[in-house]
Amino acid sequence: MTRNRRGRFFSVGGALYFAAFFLAPLSYFYFRAAAEAGPGGFAAALEEVLSSPATWRTLVFSLAQAAASALFCVALALPGALISARRDFPGKKILRSAGMIPFVLPSIIVVIAMIGFYGKNGLLNRLFGTELNLIYNPAGIVLAHGFYNVTLALRIMGEGFAGIDLRYHEIAASLGDGPVRRFLRILLPLGAPAAATAFIIIFLYSFSSFGIVLVFGGVAFSTLEVKTYTEMHVKLNLSTSSVYALLQLVLAVFFMLLAGKLIRRFQFSRPRAPKTTIPPGPAVPPGKKAAALLYFLILGIFIFGPLASLTIRSLRPMGVWSARAFAALFRPEPLGRDIEGIIRSGIPGVILRSLLLSFGSGSAAFLLALALSFALRGRKSPLLEGLLYLPTGMSMVSLGIGLRLLYGETLPLPLLIGAAQVFVAFPVVFRILRTTVEEFHPAYLETAESLGAGKGRALRDVAFPILRRGLLNGLAYSVAIPFTDFTLVMTIGRGEYVTFPVAIYRLIGFRSFDLGMALGVLYILVCLGIFFWIDSTGGSDDTFGGN
Amino acid sequence: MVRHDFLRSAVLAAALAVFAVAGCSRTVKESPQGERVRTPLRVYTYDSFPGELQKALTEHLKNTHDTDLELVRFEDTGGLFNALYLERGKGKVDAFIGLDNSYLARLYAQDLLLPYKPRDLKLAMDKLAVDPLYRVSPYDYGGVALNYDRLKLPDPPKTWEDLFDPRYRGKIVLLNPATSGPGRSFLLFTVAVFGEEGYLDFWRKIKPNLLTVAAGWTEGYGLFTQGEAPMVLSYDTSPAYHREFEKSDRYDNLLFGGRAYLQVEVAGILKDAPNPEMARRLLDYIVSPGFQSLIPLTQFMYPVHPDAALPESFTAVTRAEDYLSLDEEMVSRRLEGWLADWEKVMR
């Protein structure tokens, strides 16, 4: 009874937050756009957009590149997720912490890192003495989205696969099933929900991709998000812009609901063995071991190659090895530019502000996701869940402007930015926590209590250890994702609140590429620090987030 | 062991809560204290408006007029224009700094501005007098033109036709006129040079030589300085930056026939400005020689005032002899059609 009441409290609270800081500002923005155009104007814009062949070309491309990107990530992450869910190997912990880096990079840094590695003047081309055009085409978009998201796929799938009871495998093997048959009959159906989840989240992120497509897509290839931006910021046509944003929203909802249906067909119906340790397992044949090594080598180059090229370039300002770009960040004289005048804040201030903001919005996203996961435990409500995943496919520019218009004069700006950033992190965090909470049986608590443990002790000694892995995983993402935000800080903060991505963008905009890259490397180091700290707090249980 | 982890996590959670509260309370502490008789002058601009210029404006208003400046920045000129448009009639903004000539037709059409001719307005060229009614005041200008990397391109093209040469395959980065200000100017440049009948032919022929059409100047110029392509669309003033701050003459502009396309940045007073008198003083200062001489090394554009001094890094760079421009009223009627045809050619 109490649980029901508390559940209702959580769902009502969460729903109110969603309504106040997500639905209301967005609706207000669309309402304003429609009102500006007049009653006939909006209908005309709608008709114009829907009847234009360019819209449909953009739509088809948005879908195709998103599907290709998601498929690429899932395929690339599959062996890694399988291996890491079942075996320990040296460097796994570092891979897990450091591997999160690409996912939390601001898109401007992703672009620079990709160019530094795959570009015509990049590391690969220099290594082989070629000048191949590897990325200024649709393949470049998929490659960049792959770099961005593959570690997310690794985490989600690793977590899902870790929950598969290996005894099924052993039983099948003892019954004489070969590896192919075991894969098809056991791993595929049991691992499908995790793979589908990874696919759909990456699909939605890539579907609403902006920065990457702007640089590598050229004129021929664009997404609905790019169209939304172009109409609003360049053609200054708010009603057409909001039609594109609405179209994207409708499609995102549709895919979310579809995916929810697919995922739920598998989920909650399978028995899971809560596991805390990985059994040593039989010795691995050398051929298999070599293949695994080769795979991790390629994966490592794919993830760390662009990061390495970024670091190398930051240490070679004007083509000579030196640390002066880093020194210049804190002591402006060497390169002759007034750094503080460009960034309009000192670097320590940027770091502190970014940390404060992302810890603030991150903990809010974490609590919101946790509350809603508990409230929804064991329940299926496709409509509500579809709503909760909406922010992934949403135009953040529209959200930022809507929030600013609606609350800009009543709420302090950092609070408003934080409240909006919650939605950037929320979908991923909610996905992780929902799975974690779903697998936690209240029976554990009841048993502990019936054995005489107090409520607090039961929570501390029983609930927390079981939930710990998933909680920390969710916390890591909830803090790291707002760290990357550029759009909301800029549209709401109007340049007064300088965070890492804003500072990097400003340096690069003022042609201080070396300093921008140095600051990018600094950013990566801070992120690494956060991940190592959170992961080491999580103890010694080594999987890609399995519990 | 388990208990230890729990404690650490509890500390972590508590720290988060403190951070969150601290993050929220910051603004309260930062808000201006003490009472001031005059309300600050509220001015909108874009994000990359130089801090040095902001400092000069602030000090001038403070010292000469005992008024504070509240400079509000938007992510780009599009965001700036949208804010002026969406907040019109509310009496919240006094002035803006930093829209270019491509916004003029829309500014006039929305009737947002209060005309004012700044005291001592002197212009280096007649072409800079963009508005006979003085609804806006020009304060800097430059020419949109191709730039090249001497190190990677010892034999640069000499004419427009040279650009089509197969030896430049994949060596040019241009900017998308649908998403970039200079990109738009360059499209108009080709219309001005080749006419409405000929400009598409230019784009058709240059297309195979493009590495990419970047969305914005920052991205395009970044590709250029990162060595991805030896030619890029930028400004005739761009080489001055590298001379000034990198002591390098590696980069130079390409002015075919001595021509570039004119881009002028303007400031203006809003019709519903709460403090129009002080906004006028601001405009007076912006066009004065004192402020104008700060323009070159902060904006890397030319000052509009003929007497403003130019640093050596500027005088060493070839300057366009002829700045082309099309009538903006005409452009506003035709641009959509030109863009649509352009997109058909380029996709």
Side-chain angles (χ1 to χ4, degrees):
Chain A
M1 284 160 296
T2 18
R3 198 169 85 76
N4 278 346
R5 200 175 306 148
R6 200 177 305 145
R8 203 170 308 135
F9 174 74
F10 282 147
S11 9
V12 169
L16 277 180
Y17 186 84
F18 246 80
F21 290 103
F22 189 76
L23 297 178
L26 275 176
S27 322
Y28 184 67
F29 173 75
Y30 290 130
F31 173 76
R32 276 292 295 268
E36 295 294 338
F42 196 74
L46 191 67
E47 199 194 328
E48 189 197 316
V49 168
L50 292 183
S51 64
S52 153
T55 306
W56 300 104
R57 233 186 357 259
T58 307
L59 186 62
V60 168
F61 179 72
S62 292
L63 294 174
Q65 62 84 15
S69 303
L71 202 62
F72 177 57
C73 287
V74 169
L76 188 62
L78 187 65
L82 277 175
I83 297 170
S84 66
R86 293 158 67 181
R87 303 214 176 265
D88 272 323
F89 51 86
K92 185 166 159 181
K93 200 160 183 170
I94 292 173
L95 183 66
R96 191 180 73 202
S97 295
M100 269 180 80
I101 294 295
F103 185 69
V104 299
L105 292 179
S107 60
I108 181 88
I109 288 293
V110 171
V111 166
I112 296 172
M114 294 300 285
I115 289 170
F117 193 63
Y118 298 99
K120 282 190 116 176
N121 192 30
L123 211 59
L124 276 186
N125 267 323
R126 282 185 181 208
L127 220 57
F128 296 104
T130 50
E131 264 207 12
L132 296 174
N133 178 358
L134 300 170
I135 42 170
Y136 302 101
N137 48 45
I141 297 178
V142 173
L143 213 56
H145 285 159
F147 170 70
Y148 225 137
N149 294 313
V150 71
T151 49
L152 183 67
L154 266 175
R155 278 233 170 188
I156 294 176
M157 286 158 66
E159 184 194 341
F161 295 168
I164 296 174
D165 194 335
L166 284 178
R167 282 172 301 183
Y168 288 115
H169 229 248
E170 286 157 24
I171 293 167
S174 71
L175 290 175
D177 281 354
V180 175
R181 206 175 152 82
R182 283 197 309 246
F183 177 78
L184 287 178
R185 305 264 315 256
I186 297 170
L187 271 182
L188 196 65
L190 292 181
T197 304
F199 181 91
I200 195 68
I201 289 184
I202 295 169
F203 177 87
L204 282 178
Y205 271 126
S206 310
F207 182 61
S208 60
S209 173
F210 178 66
I212 304 273
V213 178
L214 266 187
V215 174
F216 298 124
V219 183
F221 305 101
S222 83
T223 57
L224 291 177
E225 184 78 2
V226 172
K227 287 268 186 199
T228 305
Y229 170 84
T230 310
E231 289 293 336
M232 187 182 326
H233 276 240
V234 187
K235 300 188 180 168
L236 308 176
N237 201 336
L238 289 180
S239 51
T240 317
S241 167
S242 62
V243 169
Y244 279 115
L246 268 178
L247 192 59
Q248 181 176 326
L249 183 68
V250 168
L251 284 164
V253 176
F254 171 75
F255 288 119
M256 214 56 249
L257 292 178
L258 188 73
K261 264 210 151 63
L262 285 176
I263 294 170
R264 254 185 315 278
R265 277 185 58 190
F266 298 101
Q267 217 169 18
F268 309 149
S269 56
R270 65 208 157 105
R272 292 184 56 131
K275 289 158 48 61
T276 44
T277 52
I278 297 173
V284 186
K288 242 182 168 173
K289 208 166 182 172
L293 267 176
L294 184 68
Y295 165 79
F296 277 109
L297 186 70
I298 293 172
L299 186 69
I301 291 175
F302 183 71
I303 297 172
F304 297 111
L307 297 179
S309 68
L310 178 77
T311 313
I312 291 172
R313 285 199 176 191
S314 73
L315 287 170
R316 287 177 62 87
M318 295 173 203
V320 188
W321 287 101
S322 82
R324 55 190 245 168
F326 287 90
L329 283 176
F330 296 93
R331 194 167 39 88
E333 304 93 275
L335 296 184
R337 308 277 323 258
D338 173 15
I339 302 307
E340 290 210 21
I342 293 174
I343 302 177
R344 286 190 300 284
S345 164
I347 300 295
V350 169
I351 298 175
L352 189 70
R353 210 172 291 116
S354 297
L355 285 174
L356 281 176
L357 196 61
S358 59
F359 271 102
S361 56
S363 42
F366 179 76
L367 291 177
L368 185 68
L370 192 64
L372 285 167
S373 304
F374 271 110
L376 288 173
R377 182 171 60 194
R379 273 195 270 165
K380 299 177 183 183
S381 86
L383 207 67
L384 187 58
E385 281 198 55
L387 179 74
L388 296 182
Y389 285 113
L390 261 190
T392 335
M394 201 45 241
S395 156
M396 285 295 150
V397 177
S398 323
L399 178 64
I401 294 180
L403 274 168
R404 177 89 203 203
L405 287 173
L406 207 52
Y407 304 118
E409 315 214 321
T410 43
L411 291 176
L413 286 185
L415 190 71
L416 210 52
I417 298 171
Q421 282 182 341
V422 165
F423 296 106
V424 192
F426 182 82
V428 172
V429 180
F430 179 62
R431 178 72 257 160
I432 294 170
L433 294 185
R434 178 128 169 78
T435 317
T436 308
V437 167
E438 207 55 57
E439 280 154 10
F440 177 74
H441 272 274
Y444 296 141
L445 274 184
E446 283 156 26
T447 311
E449 280 175 44
S450 73
L451 290 174
K455 217 173 184 72
R457 171 128 192 244
L459 273 178
R460 192 182 62 204
D461 288 353
V462 179
F464 183 73
I466 297 177
L467 293 172
R468 183 188 59 198
R469 168 65 58 198
L471 290 185
L472 289 169
N473 216 352
L475 189 62
Y477 276 104
S478 55
V479 172
I481 298 173
F483 214 56
T484 68
D485 169 59
F486 174 74
T487 315
L488 289 171
V489 170
M490 277 312 295
T491 45
I492 300 174
R494 291 188 177 171
E496 286 162 52
Y497 213 72
V498 186
T499 59
F500 252 119
V502 175
I504 293 171
Y505 205 86
R506 280 184 181 156
L507 283 173
I508 289 168
F510 272 89
R511 289 175 251 222
S512 299
F513 246 85
D514 302 331
L515 296 184
M517 286 189 281
L519 193 56
V521 171
L522 211 58
Y523 173 94
I524 292 173
L525 291 177
V526 172
C527 285
L528 266 180
I530 298 177
F531 295 149
F532 275 121
W533 179 49
I534 290 178
D535 272 342
S536 66
T537 313
S540 54
D541 177 6
D542 274 350
T543 58
F544 275 101
N547 37 28
Chain B
M1 167 66 195
V2 168
R3 177 165 303 196
H4 174 67
D5 279 352
F6 179 79
L7 268 178
R8 272 172 78 175
S9 306
V11 170
L12 174 71
L16 291 188
V18 172
F19 270 132
V21 172
C24 301
S25 60
R26 262 182 65 88
T27 35
V28 183
K29 261 182 263 163
E30 273 182 359
S31 69
Q33 292 149 7
E35 59 276 41
R36 182 156 292 286
V37 188
R38 288 174 180 277
T39 50
L41 188 72
R42 209 168 140 88
V43 178
Y44 281 8
T45 189
Y46 51 78
D47 187 59
S48 53
F49 188 76
E52 293 97 322
L53 294 186
Q54 174 174 10
K55 207 169 135 209
L57 293 176
T58 306
E59 278 171 9
H60 174 79
L61 282 181
K62 187 88 210 137
N63 298 341
T64 320
H65 305 287
D66 192 27
T67 299
D68 286 328
L69 173 70
E70 189 190 344
L71 196 67
V72 183
R73 294 163 185 274
F74 294 85
E75 57 277 33
D76 53 26
T77 49
L80 165 58
F81 179 86
N82 282 338
L84 294 176
Y85 173 67
L86 286 173
E87 293 174 11
R88 69 193 184 282
K90 286 192 178 165
K92 291 199 323 197
V93 201
D94 293 296
F96 76 87
I97 305 176
L99 291 177
D100 58 59
N101 38 342
S102 67
Y103 289 91
L104 293 181
R106 282 173 288 198
L107 278 170
Y108 303 157
Q110 298 299 338
D111 195 19
L112 297 175
L113 304 172
L114 187 68
Y116 174 63
K117 182 181 179 190
R119 258 183 257 157
D120 310 324
L121 179 72
K122 267 174 94 178
L123 299 175
M125 306 188 294
D126 290 343
K127 274 194 175 155
L128 295 175
V130 285
D131 184 17
L133 300 176
Y134 297 103
R135 286 165 292 193
V136 294
S137 303
Y139 67 90
D140 69 23
Y141 73 99
V144 166
L146 287 172
N147 276 232
Y148 79 104
D149 181 344
R150 280 188 220 259
L151 207 68
K152 297 215 157 186
L153 208 66
D155 57 335
K158 307 257 180 320
T159 64
W160 288 100
E161 284 70 29
D162 283 354
L163 288 172
F164 311 144
D165 195 308
R167 72 172 185 274
Y168 299 131
R169 190 132 299 173
K171 290 199 187 311
I172 306 172
V173 172
L174 292 182
L175 308 178
N176 191 339
T179 50
S180 143
R184 173 188 187 272
S185 293
F186 190 71
L187 179 71
L188 298 182
F189 197 3
T190 60
V191 174
V193 171
F194 299 100
E196 266 190 284
E197 324 70 43
Y199 82 102
L200 286 177
D201 200 41
F202 166 84
W203 286 93
R204 245 177 241 120
K205 283 182 180 157
I206 202 174
K207 193 178 167 187
N209 285 353
L210 301 182
L211 176 67
T212 186
V213 178
W217 178 86
T218 303
E219 291 87 352
Y221 206 77
L223 291 177
F224 175 64
T225 53
Q226 291 301 294
E228 292 293 288
M231 274 185 271
V232 71
L233 176 61
S234 189
Y235 296 91
D236 58 347
T237 51
S238 299
Y241 172 86
H242 301 280
R243 283 175 182 270
E244 180 71 28
F245 286 118
E246 295 170 2
K247 306 291 170 229
S248 159
D249 60 355
R250 176 173 169 180
Y251 305 108
D252 202 0
N253 55 28
L254 289 170
L255 304 167
F256 305 130
R259 295 195 289 191
Y261 193 85
L262 183 68
Q263 190 160 321
V264 185
E265 284 194 290
V266 301
I269 303 172
L270 275 300
K271 212 168 194 175
D272 55 345
N275 193 352
E277 208 38 54
M278 197 51 65
R280 289 187 188 106
R281 297 294 82 77
L282 183 81
L283 256 54
D284 289 343
Y285 178 61
I286 286 175
V287 301
S288 71
F291 184 82
Q292 285 285 303
S293 61
L294 298 175
I295 295 274
L297 292 185
T298 53
Q299 293 280 56
F300 283 88
M301 297 282 266
Y302 289 111
V304 292
H305 201 288
D307 303 337
L310 283 180
E312 210 186 303
S313 50
F314 270 73
T315 49
V317 173
T318 323
R319 193 172 179 164
E321 292 152 26
D322 189 9
Y323 287 95
L324 301 185
S325 64
L326 297 175
D327 174 52
E328 279 297 331
E329 299 282 357
M330 188 264 281
V331 169
S332 71
R333 286 194 306 274
R334 313 293 280 276
L335 184 63
E336 205 153 316
W338 293 338
L339 262 177
D341 292 340
W342 176 86
E343 272 182 30
K344 273 184 206 131
V345 169
M346 298 305 289
R347 70 156 183 262

